[in-house]
Amino acid sequence: MPVIRSLSRVAKQALLSSPTCGCQPLAIAVRNISFSPRQVTSDASFHSVSFSETDHPKVLITGGLGQLGVGLAKLLRKRYGKNNVILSDIRKPPSNVFHSGPFIYSDILDYKNLREIVVNNRITWLVHYSALLSAVGEANVALARSVNITGLHNILDIAAEHGLRLFVPSTIGAFGPTSPRNPTPDLCVQRPRTIYGVSKVHAELMGEYYHHRYGLDFRCLRYPGIISADSMPGGGTTDYAVQIFHDAIKSGKFECNLRPDTRLPMMYIDDCLRATLEVMEAPADTLSMRTYNINAMSFTPEELAQELQKQMPELEVTYDVDPVRQAIADSWPMNFDDSNARNDWGWKHDYDLPELVQTMLNFFATERRMAQIN
Ligand SMILES: NC(=O)c1ccc[n+]([C@@H]2O[C@H](COP(=O)([O-])OP(=O)(O)OC[C@H]3O[C@@H](n4cnc5c(N)ncnc54)[C@H](O)[C@@H]3O)[C@@H](O)[C@H]2O)c1
Ligand SMILES: C[C@@H](O)[C@H](N)C(=O)O
């Protein structure tokens, strides 16, 4: 951990030279590492500022081949230029992704490799998407601990060492059965019962600590379950809300692994990615916190099925509850209070349940038409 090592060296020197108090070394230490994460002007905002060729951020996305990374890269490339956004992962990219912009191999557990990428590509913003999600995490706790916690430590140190603006997503899964669940505010008891949730609370706290201690420009949104049409989820508890569309279109039948009355906060992917861009561009002085809930809608499997059945009355939904996923869902928020995000930096969702269902069905209808033409 080079940052920590150099900090403690500087702090020791400062302690020796400071006869009076324990505060001095920290101030000296912080000044001795160069944090200058502002690559955009401090009053930059998504709606009002367009970036010139020279002040574009240079973005690295880790874990970019999952449900969210490719879509985020597309959005950021449109805004900052194709070559200013590098997608990375440990998996082999499909050809359309490989040819759509820069892709690089990056294992977040390899600190040296990460540093090389950041240095060689003059990265200024880091979006850290690598993670094992809730259900997969419970199936492999050791790996989840390593990727979600050790990996995060590498990311924090790289970001601090190189003055990067760092985005790390958190989740509704960072809350637990003792949190208020309806609604769940930003600040309340967080005692999650999954390794995923524990690692995300750890990420929130470590990011905020690095912000206060070292000035790291850490930004974090707690995403609800994300629903997308052209990318598949990576093993979470909310995956049913994506799978139902695929199965409905393929076979007209869907077997749900959660109880019909399981209410969870959800969001369409376009809202999620836009929120990410907006919080990254938000002027620092609008952020009264560094970790925000964001929300769009809350629904149960039964309500989602009913909305789909308005357009596909023949859809049959049955239930075969997975006890692991059900226990996780029962400990998560039912409704998410995102009023701080709305007040501080103007968060506003575009998609409620009817628009979500319509948009998903339109996507698959277009895809089917294209397949028939080709
Ligand atoms: N999708 C959601 O509903 C949702 C909701 C809340 C929060 N999030 C968070 O958003 C982020 C992205 O989510 P997602 O749905 O795209 O996840 P995903 O599971 O689909 O993708 C995660 C990616 O991380 C990669 N990865 C695993 N180990 C790695 C390693 N050692 N080095 C580098 N990459 C590695 C995987 O190959 C995978 O492509 C995650 O941090 C997740 O916790 C997602
Ligand atoms: C909610 C989110 O973190 C993820 N989709 C999961 O279910 O694990």
Side-chain angles (χ1 to χ4, degrees):
M1 304 299 159
V3 171
I4 304 296
R5 255 184 255 126
S6 69
L7 274 175
S8 56
R9 205 176 42 241
V10 174
K12 259 187 221 149
Q13 282 165 0
L15 251 181
L16 289 174
S17 61
S18 163
T20 47
C21 82
C23 320
Q24 182 80 345
L26 172 60
I28 290 172
V30 170
R31 264 183 263 125
N32 269 274
I33 50 174
S34 59
F35 292 129
S36 52
R38 307 289 184 276
Q39 296 299 315
V40 290
T41 53
S42 63
D43 62 348
S45 113
F46 177 37
H47 295 296
S48 62
V49 172
S50 62
F51 291 86
S52 78
E53 207 50 55
T54 47
D55 60 11
H56 280 317
K58 194 85 198 277
V59 188
L60 174 68
I61 304 174
T62 68
L65 295 184
Q67 187 189 1
L68 306 184
V70 173
L72 184 70
K74 198 169 158 197
L75 180 71
L76 297 184
R77 282 174 182 157
K78 218 161 130 192
R79 185 145 175 85
Y80 307 131
K82 180 167 135 179
N83 292 325
N84 287 320
V85 180
I86 301 174
L87 207 52
S88 72
D89 208 302
I90 51 173
R91 297 191 277 147
K92 197 169 162 185
S95 121
N96 63 323
V97 173
F98 187 69
H99 291 108
S100 64
F103 177 87
I104 204 162
Y105 171 87
S106 171
D107 181 347
I108 58 156
L109 296 174
D110 183 345
Y111 185 85
K112 225 173 131 235
N113 169 247
L114 265 178
R115 184 163 57 187
E116 203 173 306
I117 292 169
V118 166
V119 168
N120 287 351
N121 295 284
R122 307 187 70 247
I123 296 299
T124 57
W125 286 12
L126 182 45
V127 176
H128 177 47
Y129 268 175
S130 310
L132 261 65
L133 271 58
S134 57
V136 175
E138 288 313 289
N140 196 340
V141 173
L143 185 63
R145 196 180 69 177
S146 165
V147 173
N148 296 9
I149 298 179
T150 309
L152 173 91
H153 293 167
N154 286 342
I155 293 289
L156 283 170
D157 283 341
I158 288 286
E161 190 181 358
H162 297 279
L164 309 183
R165 182 169 296 186
L166 173 63
F167 178 82
V168 181
S170 186
T171 162
I172 50 173
F175 297 93
T178 51
S179 307
R181 295 181 59 221
N182 193 9
T184 306
D186 279 304
L187 297 176
C188 63
V189 169
Q190 285 180 269
R191 287 289 181 277
R193 296 261 173 92
T194 59
I195 185 65
Y196 178 59
V198 169
S199 69
K200 289 294 186 178
V201 178
H202 177 75
E204 293 176 7
L205 293 176
M206 286 296 287
E208 290 183 11
Y209 175 74
Y210 269 54
H211 172 67
H212 294 299
R213 181 76 159 79
Y214 306 130
L216 174 67
D217 192 354
F218 171 79
R219 300 173 184 219
C220 173
L221 297 179
R222 295 192 190 104
Y223 294 161
I226 306 301
I227 297 162
S228 55
D230 59 353
S231 57
M232 293 304 284
T237 303
T238 58
D239 292 10
Y240 89 86
V242 177
Q243 197 60 46
I244 189 172
F245 288 95
H246 290 270
D247 290 5
I249 281 152
K250 211 165 126 200
S251 65
K253 290 191 174 113
F254 176 63
E255 188 172 83
C256 185
N257 54 22
L258 294 181
R259 270 197 329 266
D261 62 347
T262 310
R263 182 170 301 284
L264 291 167
M266 300 279 186
M267 181 176 283
Y268 183 57
I269 188 167
D270 286 13
D271 274 341
C272 165
L273 302 180
R274 180 172 53 80
T276 305
L277 174 58
E278 287 183 3
V279 81
M280 281 301 271
E281 289 192 355
D285 61 9
T286 62
L287 304 176
S288 66
M289 307 187 302
R290 288 286 156 166
T291 302
Y292 287 93
N293 293 350
I294 51 163
N295 197 20
M297 63 193 103
S298 266
F299 56 72
T300 64
E302 194 169 36
E303 288 165 356
L304 176 58
Q306 280 164 2
E307 192 62 40
L308 255 165
Q309 280 159 341
K310 287 183 188 164
Q311 314 229 23
M312 305 180 74
E314 71 290 358
L315 171 65
E316 271 176 47
V317 179
T318 53
Y319 295 87
D320 182 16
V321 172
D322 168 4
V324 175
R325 281 186 165 83
Q326 188 65 51
I328 294 174
D330 287 342
S331 74
W332 282 2
M334 292 192 273
N335 276 299
F336 225 25
D337 175 356
D338 61 356
S339 49
N340 287 314
R342 288 175 193 265
N343 292 335
D344 283 4
W345 47 274
W347 164 240
K348 195 169 172 294
H349 70 278
D350 282 338
Y351 293 83
D352 282 307
L353 181 56
E355 293 84 35
L356 165 83
V357 169
Q358 192 59 60
T359 307
M360 292 287 285
L361 291 179
N362 288 348
F363 175 90
F364 291 114
T366 309
E367 199 179 53
R368 188 181 297 181
R369 270 201 303 279
M370 297 299 283
Q372 279 162 358
I373 293 167
N374 294 325

